[in-house]
């Protein structure tokens, strides 16, 4: 099945952009995914092809008009999740990426200027407001590229080794363990001994411990969720044994 990406943007020339090279680019050539960038401005109705107007209530910048955005969105074939890029949205995570990658594709609406007229989201409740994280970009396009990249690498046949997705950061709710490669010694630093032991059980235990330690130190938010879930399933197992 081909993963169909439609991007609604004022800058369609930004797509596929960096997704036209390397892994994603080869997948595009094979038609594992297709990329259709729609110019929002084509749906403006006035002589000047206006897409934005000044914010109600005053303030700096311009706001994207709901009528033009809705016309652009309504022109696109449905049956796929619709994501609007906005820092006001729910931060995207790997679990949602995985769901998207398993589906038919995605429609992504990219903002510019001060963003979208809020009534768009009331009138088209199927739109999922999504953020790339707690940063402010100048436009939704880099966020869309990042989300598409994350989906594409999960499509069947896109990544070399099918297992290399499973141990990645976030897949188990933890950061990945640190990686090393040759040379064995570099600037006086050696690769941790255990990784050279050939003892797969010991290596797995070391990696798990480092994943947990690094997550606890670097990402207390992830750690809280992970250790909470782990304690819950442990007490569930205990209850089962007792009962
Ligand atoms: N005034 C808005 C920011 C607008 S930035 C606010 O403070 O919420 C312009 C556009 O860039 C947005 O409409 C959105 O499409 C995109 N953008 C900026 N930061 C983003 C983020 N963290 N995630 C997703 N899209 C973002």
């Amino acid at each position: 099945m081909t993963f169909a990406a439609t991007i609604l943007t004022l800058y369609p020339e930004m797509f596929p952009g960096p997704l036209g090279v390397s892994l994603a680019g080869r997948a595009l050539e094979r038609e594992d995914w297709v990329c259709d960038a729609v110019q929002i401005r084509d749906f403006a109705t006035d002589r000047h092809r206006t897409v934005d107007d000044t914010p109600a209530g005053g303030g700096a910048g311009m706001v994207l008009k709901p009528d033009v955005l809705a016309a652009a969105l309504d022109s696109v074939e449905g049956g796929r999740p619709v994501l609007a890029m906005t820092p006001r949205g729910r931060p995207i995570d790997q679990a949602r990426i995985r769901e998207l990658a398993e589906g038919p594709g995605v429609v992504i609406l990219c903002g510019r200027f001060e963003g979208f007229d809020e009534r768009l989201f009331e009138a088209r409740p199927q739109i999922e407001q999504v953020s790339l994280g707690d940063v402010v970009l100048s436009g939704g396009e880099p966020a869309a590229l990042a989300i598409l990249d994350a989906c594409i690498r999960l499509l069947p046949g896109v990544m070399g080794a099918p297992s290399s997705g499973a141990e990645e950061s976030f897949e188990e709710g933890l950061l990945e363990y640190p990686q090393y490669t040759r040379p064995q010694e570099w600037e006086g630093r050696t690769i941790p001994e255990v990784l050279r032991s050939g003892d797969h059980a010991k290596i797995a235990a070391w990696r798990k411990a480092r994943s947990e330690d690094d997550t606890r130190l670097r990402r207390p938010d992830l750690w809280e969720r992970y250790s909470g879930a782990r304690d819950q399933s442990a007490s569930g197992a205990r209850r089962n044994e007792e009962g």
Side-chain angles (χ1 to χ4, degrees):
M1 194 178 60
T2 298
F3 183 88
T6 300
I7 305 99
L8 305 170
T9 169
L10 291 170
Y11 300 96
E13 64 274 24
M14 289 177 75
F15 296 88
L19 300 179
V21 300
S22 188
L23 231 112
R26 286 195 295 277
L28 188 58
E29 274 168 24
R30 283 196 304 269
E31 289 182 33
D32 289 340
W33 71 289
V34 291
C35 182
D36 179 29
V38 174
Q39 173 56 272
I40 293 171
R41 197 174 294 282
D42 290 346
F43 296 86
T45 49
D46 65 329
R47 207 158 54 82
H48 302 289
R49 306 221 298 159
T50 307
V51 296
D52 57 352
D53 208 333
T54 54
M62 299 294 272
V63 176
L64 290 167
K65 288 159 57 64
D67 50 339
V68 179
L69 292 168
L73 189 59
D74 295 347
S75 79
V76 166
E77 191 163 349
R80 290 170 289 168
V82 179
L83 275 48
M85 299 296 99
T86 164
R88 285 167 44 85
R90 193 172 85 85
I92 191 86
D93 62 18
Q94 189 62 13
R96 185 67 185 122
I97 292 288
R98 200 162 270 286
E99 286 171 4
L100 293 172
E102 282 166 5
V106 66
V107 178
I108 303 186
L109 181 56
C110 299
R112 281 272 156 179
F113 323 122
E114 291 309 315
F116 310 104
D117 183 307
E118 185 67 16
R119 291 170 296 176
L120 176 71
F121 304 122
E122 297 161 15
R124 299 290 183 278
Q126 75 272 27
I127 301 176
E128 189 181 325
Q129 297 180 58
V130 170
S131 168
L132 193 63
D134 293 344
V135 297
V136 182
L137 305 168
S138 58
E141 291 80 6
L145 288 167
I147 288 169
L148 289 174
D149 178 275
C151 290
I152 292 160
R153 63 188 287 284
L154 295 180
L155 299 177
V158 171
M159 258 188 330
S163 70
S164 62
E167 283 194 11
E168 225 85 50
S169 285
F170 313 121
E171 291 291 358
E172 279 191 272
L174 293 172
L175 302 178
E176 198 186 56
Y177 46 82
Q179 302 273 14
Y180 300 85
T181 188
R182 279 177 288 271
Q184 206 75 260
E185 188 185 328
W186 173 74
E187 294 196 351
R189 294 160 199 279
T190 54
I191 295 173
E193 192 57 46
V194 52
L195 298 180
R196 296 188 274 150
S197 68
D199 182 335
H200 295 297
K202 247 168 72 183
I203 291 171
W206 181 87
R207 286 178 165 170
K208 181 71 183 269
R210 278 302 302 262
S211 273
E212 293 189 345
D213 288 351
D214 291 352
T215 304
R216 196 173 59 244
L217 291 170
R218 296 175 179 205
R219 291 293 302 274
D221 57 322
L222 290 182
W223 179 251
E224 201 171 312
R225 229 182 310 155
Y226 171 81
S227 53
R230 192 190 49 183
D231 296 347
Q232 274 230 318
S233 72
S235 71
R238 243 190 335 271
R239 262 197 310 281
N240 280 342
E241 276 169 29
E242 286 160 7

